[in-house]
Amino acid sequence: NKFWPADLNIEGKDQIRGWWNSQLILSQIKFDKKPFDSVVVHGMALDLDKRKMSKSKGNIISPQEIIEKYSRDYIRYYFAKVSKGDDFAFDEKEFSEIEKVFRVLTNVNTFVSQLKTADSVHKRTKKLKNAEDKWILSKYNNLIKNVTEKYNEFKFTEVVQLIEQFLVMDLSRTYIKIIRDRQEETYDVLNEIRIGILKLIAPICPFITEKIWQELKDKKILKEESVHLSEFPRQDNKLINEDLESQFLLILNIIEKGLAERDKVQIGLKWPLSKAKIECKTKINNELQEIIASQLNVKGTEIKVNLKSKNIIVELDTKITPELEAEGFAREISRKIQAGRKKAGLIKTDMINLNLVINKEFAEMIISQLKFIQERTNSKKITLNSKNKYDNKFEDKIKDKDLKILFSKI
């Protein structure tokens, strides 16, 4: 019988002397073999004081109420995350953290969907050139490898930890942040990863993954009928680069130190600086230095290799030149225009005619940055202090400088 012995039995520890014990005895007597190949024991959900839930104590939490309040996926994710075989205190506060993970999943899906139209295919055809692309695909293929191993070992807690770390930290907070200026080039990479993550997390969160899958299927991005009928991902060992992952760990630590230095001197990341001096134990190639410079918003980096250095040291040149100040204002103006476009319901491909109403001093400061603002905001034409009428108007302030943003969709 292909369904017996069972691949897996999942039950609470009380079944060690109950159901499992009965199965073992009867199966041995009748068939002279075990009734299952593997057993996973889950702990009992207790109240916050780690007392057994019972009607008499009035401490019962209804599973149906939790499901109605959050969803089945949330409660499945919660149990997979916290139940390691021991009894555990059920803490509803954990669901706010789970909500953040689900929000990242849906935000990543939305971000990828906005990068390309529905006639796209989810197959990477271009040769990878950028270090950050090679890094995220190495991390992704390592994720597939490790998650597959943990699923096969029925270590669901570790599955959740691995997926959460990759989705939140590696993909959302690191890779997507690095590729913001070239995001359209990364659709194939991101779409491949998006589809893979849906497959990896589907056994734990079957409903949200299927919802997203069907939406992608409707857009002709996917052909398979269901995420649960698709093939489970297999890692490509050729794309796993442990050395690159190690180098990225170093530069991400450097970026973290550099951002902390910015906080110390209270210079926000939107304001460019001329240079970062870095002391560390390892050489850093030019491409990785460019990532450091981009993420710290500095014009250049100066690396000093010190084999005896115990800690990474990052020192920023905090002198703001007129050119750097103008660029900083231009970046902030662009950000505010983008926010205005979003409020007006425009999509990224919509072109606009743009007018900025600013005083003479402000205009002289940013005149050299108008082309930068034009490109950043998808503006066909940009004017200063025009008297023409525009469909959209927003007023704002950057530091002590007043700004009026007017634009019309072309």
Side-chain angles (χ1 to χ4, degrees):
N1 189 324
K2 67 178 181 179
F3 299 114
W4 191 90
D7 293 331
L8 175 67
N9 273 194
I10 304 177
E11 260 294 356
K13 62 183 181 181
D14 57 320
Q15 295 303 325
I16 291 171
R17 62 183 181 83
W19 182 45
W20 286 329
N21 191 42
S22 300
Q23 281 191 85
L24 279 168
I25 293 169
L26 294 172
S27 183
Q28 199 66 36
I29 292 171
K30 178 66 177 175
F31 303 108
D32 195 28
K33 63 179 179 180
K34 62 185 180 181
F36 42 73
D37 290 328
S38 300
V39 164
V40 169
V41 182
H42 64 74
M44 299 298 179
L46 310 175
D47 70 9
L48 281 174
D49 295 323
K50 293 195 173 180
R51 299 176 302 167
K52 186 177 179 181
M53 294 187 189
S54 68
K55 289 182 180 179
S56 61
K57 292 178 182 175
N59 62 348
I60 286 180
I61 298 171
S62 166
Q64 189 60 38
E65 288 179 11
I66 297 296
I67 289 169
E68 288 175 2
K69 188 173 180 181
Y70 298 103
S71 80
R72 287 175 173 84
D73 277 337
Y74 274 49
I75 201 165
R76 288 171 65 96
Y77 190 93
Y78 175 74
F79 284 136
K81 185 175 183 177
V82 304
S83 182
K84 303 175 184 177
D86 299 322
D87 295 345
F88 59 94
F90 185 86
D91 187 357
E92 195 175 332
K93 290 179 182 177
E94 286 286 330
F95 283 75
S96 61
E97 294 303 312
I98 294 171
E99 184 182 15
K100 292 176 185 176
V101 177
F102 278 62
R103 194 182 306 129
V104 171
L105 177 64
T106 54
N107 286 347
V108 166
N109 175 57
T110 302
F111 178 75
V112 180
S113 292
Q114 289 172 345
L115 293 184
K116 209 160 186 179
T117 53
D119 61 352
S120 304
V121 293
H122 71 277
K123 189 173 182 181
R124 182 168 31 83
T125 55
K126 295 176 183 176
K127 187 177 179 182
L128 297 174
K129 294 180 180 179
N130 296 71
E132 60 266 28
D133 300 336
K134 295 175 184 177
W135 170 75
I136 197 64
L137 282 169
S138 177
K139 296 288 285 187
Y140 168 62
N141 281 279
N142 251 330
L143 176 74
I144 296 171
K145 176 185 173 184
N146 294 328
V147 164
T148 302
E149 287 175 0
K150 297 307 175 186
Y151 268 133
N152 288 334
E153 294 168 358
F154 307 117
K155 295 180 178 177
F156 305 121
T157 302
E158 293 180 45
V159 168
V160 170
Q161 289 171 348
L162 288 166
I163 294 175
E164 199 169 295
Q165 168 66 30
F166 176 82
L167 175 64
V168 177
M169 301 305 297
D170 299 331
L171 184 61
S172 178
R173 294 188 185 173
T174 303
Y175 179 72
I176 289 177
K177 194 178 288 186
I178 290 173
I179 56 94
R180 282 287 180 184
D181 289 339
R182 52 174 289 267
Q183 56 192 35
E184 287 82 4
E185 301 171 19
T186 65
Y187 174 82
D188 294 331
V189 171
L190 280 168
N191 195 42
E192 179 181 339
I193 291 171
R194 166 176 64 175
I195 292 166
I197 288 175
L198 291 176
K199 293 178 179 182
L200 289 174
I201 203 171
I204 292 170
C205 306
F207 301 103
I208 188 173
T209 50
E210 183 66 8
K211 179 179 181 292
I212 294 172
W213 190 275
Q214 292 305 319
E215 289 169 354
L216 297 178
K217 185 170 174 284
D218 290 342
K219 294 176 182 176
K220 312 295 184 187
I221 294 173
L222 290 167
K223 292 181 180 179
E224 294 94 331
E225 190 65 30
S226 165
V227 66
H228 307 298
L229 297 175
S230 63
E231 285 191 17
F232 202 73
R234 294 183 181 181
Q235 79 268 15
D236 184 345
N237 290 319
K238 292 178 183 177
L239 293 177
I240 296 176
N241 187 334
E242 302 288 358
D243 183 54
L244 181 60
E245 289 188 29
S246 177
Q247 291 176 54
F248 253 81
L249 190 60
L250 171 63
I251 70 164
L252 293 176
N253 282 333
I254 289 170
I255 291 166
E256 186 179 354
K257 295 266 187 183
L259 293 175
E261 286 301 307
R262 272 188 172 271
D263 287 342
K264 279 184 187 178
V265 295
Q266 295 184 328
I267 299 177
L269 188 58
K270 58 181 176 272
W271 300 99
L273 298 174
S274 60
K275 186 166 55 178
K277 294 181 181 178
I278 300 158
E279 184 177 312
C280 58
K281 286 183 177 181
T282 312
K283 287 183 179 180
I284 302 171
N285 67 40
N286 290 339
E287 188 175 9
L288 296 183
Q289 285 190 50
E290 286 176 10
I291 293 174
I292 294 170
S294 168
Q295 295 308 293
L296 292 182
N297 196 8
V298 295
K299 293 301 179 184
T301 56
E302 188 179 298
I303 308 292
K304 180 182 178 183
V305 178
N306 184 352
L307 298 176
K308 295 180 181 179
S309 178
K310 293 182 179 180
N311 299 308
I312 295 167
I313 299 171
V314 179
E315 182 183 328
L316 301 175
D317 183 346
T318 56
K319 183 181 178 182
I320 307 287
T321 64
E323 293 77 15
L324 290 173
E325 185 178 34
E327 183 181 328
F329 273 105
R331 287 179 180 274
E332 190 64 0
I333 289 169
S334 299
R335 190 182 69 79
K336 292 184 182 297
I337 294 167
Q338 296 288 36
R341 286 176 56 107
K342 190 174 181 180
K343 285 180 183 177
L346 271 60
I347 61 173
K348 188 169 183 177
T349 54
D350 289 335
M351 296 287 291
I352 61 171
N353 283 327
L354 174 67
N355 180 43
L356 302 177
V357 178
I358 51 180
N359 64 30
K360 184 180 178 182
E361 180 191 359
F362 198 1
E364 288 173 352
M365 177 190 289
I366 66 161
I367 194 73
S368 63
Q369 299 292 326
L370 292 183
K371 185 173 177 57
F372 172 86
I373 295 170
Q374 187 175 352
E375 290 173 353
R376 278 292 180 102
T377 59
N378 208 22
S379 301
K380 185 175 182 180
K381 183 181 178 183
I382 181 169
T383 55
L384 298 181
N385 302 315
S386 169
K387 300 296 183 182
N388 293 336
K389 290 184 178 181
Y390 294 85
D391 297 333
N392 301 281
K393 178 182 176 182
F394 299 95
E395 295 188 19
D396 217 314
K397 198 165 190 170
I398 304 173
K399 291 191 173 180
D400 59 342
K401 302 187 184 300
D402 293 320
L403 168 70
K404 289 181 183 177
I405 299 167
L406 301 94
F407 61 86
S408 294
K409 178 183 172 183
I410 298 173

